[in-house]
Amino acid sequence: MTITNSEIKKLYGLAAGRCSICKVNVFLNDVHIGEMAHIIAKSTNGTRGGEELSHGRNSYENLILLCANHHTEVDQNPQRYPVNELNRIKSEHERVAASVFESPRERQNDVDFLSLFMRFVPFTRLRYFTDGLPISASLNLCAVGDTFEALLIDNPHLYPLNDSGLQTRFDSFIKSYYALWRLIAGFTNIDGRHQAHFSQANDRGDLHMEKRHLPYTEVVKLSKKINTRHHEFIAEHAGLIDFIRKNFKEVDLDSYEPYKI
């Protein structure tokens, strides 16, 4: 059975005529570059072809709209793109496409929140500010928590975010930040006294681990904890950047404006 016109219209309509992964318009300069990819191959010998089907192989439920490049990538990387991941990508893309028209005010609130956050946080440089961990970090990193907390007070109507996918991403990011920052700004009880993990910032705004005042065993344990939290933070940061770039293109990730007295 071939793909029916009604299934084609539904697929293209709900995907807003864009690749579900890179969001490129599948009609480029009047040239059709879109492809209806099978989530579970139409042949049992094809990519993911042995997976269990709940609908017909040529049904809307088993199709995802992609550009030619991503169709090839999806079919050549079944480990990276299993059935559940493709269904998630498709569902998320269609939800974002619908939100532009079904809830424009809610989407604009999310854009406003992100734009304010990016204005006061050097977001694209956060990885650079933590590259020296577990030994050193930049005090600029604290702008993440300071800005987030200020936004909650000054603009309580903007958070939680309306887009569920964005809320999940941002929530994971901010939690990973606090988990890391608590270690940097924290202290350890040593023989009845509180010893800060990191020194006060120097003239360059750099914080350094207090290795001279912490026992060697504490330095080793703290370094391991920081490395773990640092890796989690970097992963969440990268994931949030990728999500915003794909789904909120109107947000400038590099709009940070240093405060001037």
Side-chain angles (χ1 to χ4, degrees):
M1 180 183 294
T2 59
I3 303 173
T4 65
N5 283 336
S6 62
E7 304 282 21
I8 295 172
K9 290 177 181 178
K10 184 176 182 180
L11 181 67
Y12 273 75
L14 294 180
R18 292 182 176 272
C19 172
S20 298
I21 295 178
C22 68
K23 318 303 179 187
V24 68
N25 193 324
V26 298
F27 295 94
L28 189 62
N29 297 324
D30 296 327
V31 177
H32 179 217
I33 62 170
E35 297 184 0
M36 296 177 289
H38 287 81
I39 294 174
I40 297 175
K42 57 185 175 183
S43 167
T44 55
N45 295 323
T47 308
R48 297 172 295 273
E51 299 287 341
E52 183 177 350
L53 272 165
S54 56
H55 296 84
R57 290 187 182 271
N58 286 329
S59 66
Y60 156 79
E61 289 78 9
N62 192 44
L63 297 171
I64 180 171
L65 185 62
L66 300 172
C67 64
N69 289 338
H70 276 108
H71 189 178
T72 300
E73 180 179 336
V74 162
D75 281 353
Q76 291 184 352
N77 295 276
Q79 291 77 25
R80 180 179 177 184
Y81 295 102
V83 172
N84 62 338
E85 176 63 7
L86 288 176
N87 281 323
R88 184 196 66 78
I89 290 172
K90 176 183 177 180
S91 176
E92 185 173 271
H93 172 69
E94 292 181 350
R95 177 182 50 75
V96 171
S99 71
V100 176
F101 302 101
E102 293 178 356
S103 51
R105 181 65 260 171
E106 286 80 359
R107 181 178 175 84
Q108 187 57 50
N109 282 348
D110 289 350
V111 170
D112 290 346
F113 175 88
L114 290 174
S115 297
L116 284 169
F117 188 78
M118 300 306 164
R119 179 182 174 186
F120 296 107
V121 175
F123 191 68
T124 57
R125 303 197 70 203
L126 294 183
R127 183 163 187 165
Y128 169 76
F129 292 149
T130 62
D131 271 352
L133 289 173
I135 303 303
S136 65
S138 172
L139 184 61
N140 288 303
L141 186 62
C142 72
V144 175
D146 291 348
T147 300
F148 178 63
E149 289 158 22
L151 284 174
L152 294 183
I153 295 172
D154 296 340
N155 297 273
H157 64 293
L158 297 181
Y159 198 88
L161 300 161
N162 296 288
D163 185 284
S164 59
L166 176 62
Q167 174 61 31
T168 297
R169 285 287 186 182
F170 192 89
D171 184 61
S172 295
F173 162 75
I174 204 69
K175 285 179 178 177
S176 70
Y177 161 77
Y178 280 121
L180 175 62
W181 184 249
R182 280 193 291 268
L183 288 174
I184 295 173
F187 61 85
T188 295
N189 191 310
I190 300 173
D191 298 328
R193 65 181 176 86
H194 289 169
Q195 175 58 55
H197 292 162
F198 279 68
S199 65
Q200 292 185 340
N202 59 24
D203 293 340
R204 297 174 56 187
D206 295 325
L207 309 168
H208 290 87
M209 186 186 289
E210 289 280 18
K211 297 176 71 174
R212 292 178 302 172
H213 303 294
L214 289 167
Y216 176 74
T217 53
E218 292 298 328
V219 169
V220 171
K221 288 193 295 184
L222 180 59
S223 295
K224 288 182 178 179
K225 290 179 181 178
I226 289 177
N227 279 333
T228 297
R229 299 307 181 195
H230 182 214
H231 291 154
E232 292 171 352
F233 174 68
I234 293 302
E236 295 297 342
H237 178 244
L240 181 57
I241 286 179
D242 185 61
F243 185 90
I244 294 173
R245 280 177 174 165
K246 288 180 178 178
N247 301 291
F248 289 85
K249 294 181 182 294
E250 61 268 57
V251 174
D252 183 0
L253 292 171
D254 197 26
S255 59
Y256 172 62
E257 298 178 5
Y259 180 74
K260 296 180 181 179
I261 299 176

